[in-house]
Amino acid sequence: MKRLLLVLTLVICHFSFTMAYNQVRLVINEGIDNQQLKQKMEHGASVVITEINRSYEAKQNKLNLPEVYIAKDATQDLNRLWENDHFRCVEEEVVERCLTTRTGYQVRGIPLIVNSSDGSEELGYQEAVINFDTQGVITSIYYTINPELYSQLRMDQMRDNRFEVTELKDRMMILDYVEHFRTAYNQKDLKFLKQVFSEDALIITGKVIKVRKSEVHPAGNKVVYTTQTKQQYIENLGRAFKASKYIKVTFDNVVIVEHPTIKGIYGVTVHQRWNTNRYSDEGYVFMVWDFRNPDAPQIHVRTWQPEYVDKSKGQKLNPNDVFTLGDFDL
């Protein structure tokens, strides 16, 4: 009897441990008519998210996700992120609509709680986007921009008669790449960043310095700019990646402007917050994206400017001084 009780206790303990992680069910409530494909996407995403939760609770250093539901490249990208961020979905059921993209389907709004991989830092709430191919296999999972901002941009474009359907799809594609670009910093993914910057990319970084007070600089501060080549930028970024336990980059206030004469060229301005265990800042990032080859878009220009010229006095950078497409000869 004692042995039986011991066995039952061990079984119950094992069952309790295996059920400790949150099992997640994804429900797609609209946006796709093919019921068989819909069910495949729902089941595959549910299995993958649940496995991520299990890996989180087990404190695993690597994700082993079923290739029947998620592409190998997508798992590799997630493991790059997992090296810096450990995340989990705390909802038992996630109900979202399905969007049709240029390459398949997309489900947004997957709620995540994120910690640094060593558990020393709480990095807060994020939402993820899951992309599927036309067969319902997951091709990527990455952090979204501000979800309210994404919805507002999409609704503004749908209400504005100037935008054609094709342009709306282009803008959704641009936002997807901007989200992927942002997640690459959290992943410390130098390979992707090398790929997305063109070989002759111009990198400009602003820095506030002290100067003598004058009519032009009444606060005694001004912003000076330095330029880097792609190679210099990637090398400096690599050193920053190695020196930081984690990197948390967020984008908001996204503005997309199409070039007036060159179709496929867009200026994208975002407000960026950059946080690591060693350093943090916030400012404006402007990028010139080239989508003339939609399968391999590239960034020709990236600039960063501080939000504040004098933060102690609340003096912000003049909005007229933020870089735009008109500042560059393309």
Side-chain angles (χ1 to χ4, degrees):
M1 179 63 71
K2 289 182 179 179
R3 180 176 294 180
L4 178 60
L5 288 173
L6 177 61
V7 170
L8 287 173
T9 301
L10 290 174
V11 169
I12 292 170
C13 289
H14 174 74
F15 181 77
S16 298
F17 174 78
T18 57
M19 295 299 290
Y21 59 90
N22 196 39
Q23 298 195 50
V24 181
R25 177 172 175 254
L26 173 67
V27 177
I28 297 174
N29 61 354
E30 60 178 315
I32 183 169
D33 295 326
N34 186 326
Q35 290 301 304
Q36 186 175 357
L37 181 59
K38 171 181 173 292
Q39 290 171 8
K40 179 179 179 181
M41 292 163 60
E42 288 175 330
H43 180 68
S46 300
V47 170
V48 167
I49 298 169
T50 298
E51 175 59 23
I52 290 172
N53 281 355
R54 190 199 65 78
S55 299
Y56 180 94
E57 293 299 333
K59 295 181 171 58
Q60 290 184 192
N61 293 325
K62 187 176 181 180
L63 297 171
N64 294 305
L65 304 177
E67 290 187 19
V68 66
Y69 301 122
I70 182 168
K72 186 176 181 180
D73 287 347
T75 297
Q76 290 174 347
D77 286 343
L78 276 177
N79 271 312
R80 291 190 189 96
L81 187 58
W82 195 256
E83 289 176 5
N84 305 288
D85 295 357
H86 282 189
F87 42 88
R88 67 196 189 281
C89 179
V90 295
E91 299 292 335
E92 293 184 359
E93 185 174 84
V94 178
V95 181
E96 292 291 339
R97 72 189 304 269
C98 178
L99 303 174
T100 300
T101 67
R102 188 176 60 87
T103 57
Y105 304 94
Q106 182 182 94
V107 175
R108 307 180 65 84
I110 309 300
L112 302 175
I113 300 299
V114 185
N115 293 317
S116 59
S117 59
D118 62 1
S120 63
E121 298 280 347
E122 272 195 26
L123 304 182
Y125 176 80
Q126 294 274 4
E127 289 191 5
V129 53
I130 303 178
N131 286 295
F132 302 83
D133 64 17
T134 56
Q135 303 303 310
V137 175
I138 296 171
T139 57
S140 62
I141 301 176
Y142 45 79
Y143 294 152
T144 65
I145 59 172
N146 184 307
E148 293 181 3
L149 177 63
Y150 185 95
S151 298
Q152 186 61 45
L153 280 169
R154 192 168 183 275
M155 290 306 297
D156 286 347
Q157 292 157 12
M158 290 175 70
R159 286 195 295 260
D160 194 330
N161 292 330
R162 293 176 302 164
F163 293 118
E164 301 293 339
V165 174
T166 53
E167 185 173 352
L168 174 58
K169 288 184 177 180
D170 286 347
R171 286 169 179 259
M172 288 177 64
M173 178 178 67
I174 294 166
L175 286 172
D176 287 343
Y177 269 100
V178 169
E179 289 174 332
H180 193 176
F181 176 73
R182 170 226 168 175
T183 304
Y185 286 96
N186 294 272
Q187 293 171 322
K188 301 182 180 179
D189 188 355
L190 279 179
K191 181 180 178 182
F192 175 79
L193 293 169
K194 286 179 184 177
Q195 171 187 315
V196 78
F197 282 103
S198 64
E199 288 305 313
D200 58 351
L202 174 63
I203 316 292
I204 300 175
T205 304
K207 179 176 70 173
V208 176
I209 64 169
K210 291 286 186 182
V211 296
R212 180 178 297 177
K213 289 185 178 181
S214 65
E215 186 176 338
V216 179
H217 305 295
N221 294 333
K222 77 170 185 177
V223 181
V224 296
Y225 296 96
T226 58
T227 62
Q228 300 176 70
T229 64
K230 171 185 175 177
Q231 182 176 351
Q232 291 170 329
Y233 177 71
I234 293 297
E235 288 175 355
N236 290 334
L237 197 58
R239 285 191 285 270
F241 284 173
K242 288 181 180 178
S244 303
K245 288 194 298 184
Y246 67 87
I247 293 177
K248 180 183 178 183
V249 176
T250 58
F251 288 167
D252 54 38
N253 296 335
V254 179
V255 177
I256 301 172
V257 177
E258 186 172 15
H259 194 281
T261 59
I262 307 176
K263 187 172 178 57
I265 299 291
Y266 293 85
V268 179
T269 306
V270 301
H271 179 262
Q272 173 185 279
R273 289 185 174 87
W274 176 289
N275 289 283
T276 76
N277 57 300
R278 299 165 55 91
Y279 170 77
S280 64
D281 63 36
E282 53 187 310
Y284 301 100
V285 173
F286 170 74
M287 297 167 282
V288 176
W289 282 82
D290 184 347
F291 280 88
R292 286 176 292 186
N293 178 1
D295 294 322
Q298 293 206 305
I299 298 173
H300 296 307
V301 176
R302 180 195 184 272
T303 71
W304 183 86
Q305 297 169 275
E307 181 176 11
Y308 289 91
V309 176
D310 189 338
K311 192 168 185 177
S312 65
K313 298 179 181 178
Q315 182 183 352
K316 292 190 174 185
L317 183 72
N318 188 323
N320 293 328
D321 292 335
V322 177
F323 287 117
T324 65
L325 271 175
D327 293 309
F328 301 94
D329 184 7
L330 301 175

